[in-house]
Amino acid sequence: MYINSIKSLFHERLISHYPVQEINSFFHLLTENYLNKSRLELALEPDLKLDQKDADLFLDALSRLEEEYPIQYIMGHTEFMGRRFKVNKNVLIPRPETEELILWVLNSNSERTELDILDIGTGSGCISISLSKQLSDARVDAMDISEEALRIAAENAKENKAGVNFIQSDILTLKSLSRSYDIIVSNPPYVRKSEKSEMKNNVLKYEPDLALFVEDEDPLIFYRKIGELAFIALNKSGYLFFEINQFLAEDLVKLIKAIGFDSVELKKDIFGSDRMIRALKK
Ligand code: GLN
């Protein structure tokens, strides 16, 4: 089968699901992934013929994309902070907003060394591994309730040669953190179930509920618990960082201040939404 026929087939079958640009981007991600050929290389070989095995890979991917299955799960990996992370249905696909959170953590601590860091709800390990790589003298712990997620996170740490200590634990039932830290960071579940109607199928149908959703009656449950544990476990001048739900920013600032933190600051993401918060323990 010719590569151009596959490309036409992608457009034909996906146009009712995605914009043209996104279909092109899927197609080129897959040519890189399956054929190791960039967009440019491909343009120079318009008559490239695929053997049955390669053609089947594209056709299988096409069927999954028609079901709105995320491209990152199809390929089994994604990029985050310039590094490759394995992903599967047990972990949330790392988002660009979370890269912004990492940059804020790094900028806030550029003069400090030998930091003790904890990431709560690490998922694929994207936050803990990126921090461990960027801060080579840091000591990084990462926690998650899901054993399946921790398995992927450990593989990601190994592939990226990052020294992260993974801990399986349910933060909501934890009485205290076992050591003290300079930085505690978390991107916990924060989407209210009532917000489901505004979400895209690829997220809603295939990404893990455990990593995404909270009850409408108590949407800040993770922030309250993590905030309380962090206020005790953080060293003097330690920082707490959260990724947050843009619609709950004001309530969160109030909550974090009520726990006792100082200089609670909000920060917007590239899309202009209140997306992260930083709090100082004096
Ligand atoms: N930003 C994610 C989304 O909108 C949610 C991440 C989370 O719940 N922590 O899909």
Side-chain angles (χ1 to χ4, degrees), residues 28 31-32 37-46:
H28 289 111
T31 59
E32 280 197 20
K37 283 188 195 295
S38 69
R39 198 179 182 132
L40 187 66
E41 285 172 306
L42 210 66
L44 299 172
E45 291 181 83

Side-chain angles (χ1 to χ4, degrees), residues 11 36 40 42 49 57 66 78 87 137 139 161 186 188 214 219 230 266:
H11 281 277
N36 207 9
L40 187 66
L42 210 66
K49 202 173 172 187
L57 287 172
E66 268 184 315
T78 189
V87 289
D137 60 356
R139 190 196 165 285
K161 299 189 174 59
S186 182
V214 283
L266 282 173

Side-chain angles (χ1 to χ4, degrees), residues 92 95 187-191 199 203 211-212 243:
L92 197 74
R95 310 280 205 265
N187 174 17
Y190 60 66
V191 181
M199 292 172 79
V203 180
L212 283 169
E243 185 174 315

Side-chain angles (χ1 to χ4, degrees), residues 92-93 95 97-98 186-192 195 199 203-204 207-214 223 243-246 275:
L92 197 74
I93 296 163
R95 310 280 205 265
E97 295 93 307
T98 310
S186 182
N187 174 17
Y190 60 66
V191 181
R192 286 167 293 183
E195 293 174 54
M199 292 172 79
V203 180
L204 196 58
E207 290 199 83
D209 284 4
L210 190 64
L212 283 169
F213 296 113
V214 283
Y223 296 87
E243 185 174 315
I244 67 164
N245 181 327
Q246 75 229 58
R275 183 60 64 209

Side-chain angles (χ1 to χ4, degrees), residues 239-255:
Y239 278 124
L240 173 62
F241 288 89
F242 279 126
E243 185 174 315
I244 67 164
N245 181 327
Q246 75 229 58
F247 307 115
L248 303 172
E250 268 175 44
D251 290 349
L252 251 167
V253 171
K254 273 190 218 139
L255 170 75

Side-chain angles (χ1 to χ4, degrees), residues 169-203:
S169 187
D170 174 3
I171 193 72
L172 293 180
T173 59
L174 208 62
K175 297 271 182 311
S176 64
L177 297 171
S178 58
R179 56 198 312 280
S180 60
Y181 294 98
D182 302 301
I183 299 170
I184 295 179
V185 55
S186 182
N187 174 17
Y190 60 66
V191 181
R192 286 167 293 183
K193 291 191 170 155
S194 59
E195 293 174 54
K196 279 189 179 186
S197 56
E198 289 145 48
M199 292 172 79
K200 286 197 185 160
N201 267 338
N202 55 346
V203 180

Side-chain angles (χ1 to χ4, degrees), residues 70-270:
I71 184 85
Q72 296 89 341
Y73 290 161
I74 294 174
M75 299 194 301
H77 60 86
T78 189
E79 230 183 72
F80 183 82
M81 296 291 292
R83 294 187 180 83
R84 182 185 274 222
F85 286 81
K86 286 189 185 183
V87 289
N88 67 16
K89 63 177 174 39
N90 297 306
V91 299
L92 197 74
I93 296 163
R95 310 280 205 265
E97 295 93 307
T98 310
E99 295 183 316
E100 296 186 66
L101 177 68
I102 306 253
L103 293 175
W104 200 15
V105 175
L106 294 173
N107 290 337
S108 306
N109 295 282
S110 55
E111 270 130 57
R112 302 207 281 169
T113 54
E114 296 186 9
L115 293 163
D116 273 301
I117 300 174
L118 172 64
D119 171 25
I120 299 173
T122 197
S124 64
C126 65
I127 295 179
S128 55
I129 292 167
S130 302
L131 289 175
S132 163
K133 294 300 286 183
Q134 304 287 131
L135 303 163
S136 52
D137 60 356
R139 190 196 165 285
V140 183
D141 288 342
M143 206 179 261
D144 208 286
I145 189 174
S146 159
E147 279 181 30
E148 291 91 349
L150 287 172
R151 208 168 300 134
I152 290 285
E155 284 180 37
N156 282 326
K158 195 167 166 218
E159 299 230 331
N160 284 292
K161 299 189 174 59
V164 176
N165 173 39
F166 292 104
I167 306 159
Q168 201 256 329
S169 187
D170 174 3
I171 193 72
L172 293 180
T173 59
L174 208 62
K175 297 271 182 311
S176 64
L177 297 171
S178 58
R179 56 198 312 280
S180 60
Y181 294 98
D182 302 301
I183 299 170
I184 295 179
V185 55
S186 182
N187 174 17
Y190 60 66
V191 181
R192 286 167 293 183
K193 291 191 170 155
S194 59
E195 293 174 54
K196 279 189 179 186
S197 56
E198 289 145 48
M199 292 172 79
K200 286 197 185 160
N201 267 338
N202 55 346
V203 180
L204 196 58
K205 276 166 70 178
Y206 302 110
E207 290 199 83
D209 284 4
L210 190 64
L212 283 169
F213 296 113
V214 283
E215 301 294 333
D216 282 61
E217 294 71 44
D218 192 7
L220 302 183
I221 183 166
F222 287 97
Y223 296 87
R224 187 179 315 106
K225 184 67 194 263
I226 294 169
E228 283 166 359
L229 294 180
F231 192 67
I232 297 164
L234 277 171
N235 294 325
K236 195 168 172 305
S237 307
Y239 278 124
L240 173 62
F241 288 89
F242 279 126
E243 185 174 315
I244 67 164
N245 181 327
Q246 75 229 58
F247 307 115
L248 303 172
E250 268 175 44
D251 290 349
L252 251 167
V253 171
K254 273 190 218 139
L255 170 75
I256 300 299
K257 282 186 176 162
I259 292 172
F261 283 93
D262 278 282
S263 1
V264 182
E265 281 173 76
L266 282 173
K267 199 173 168 76
K268 292 190 194 303
D269 62 21
I270 29 164

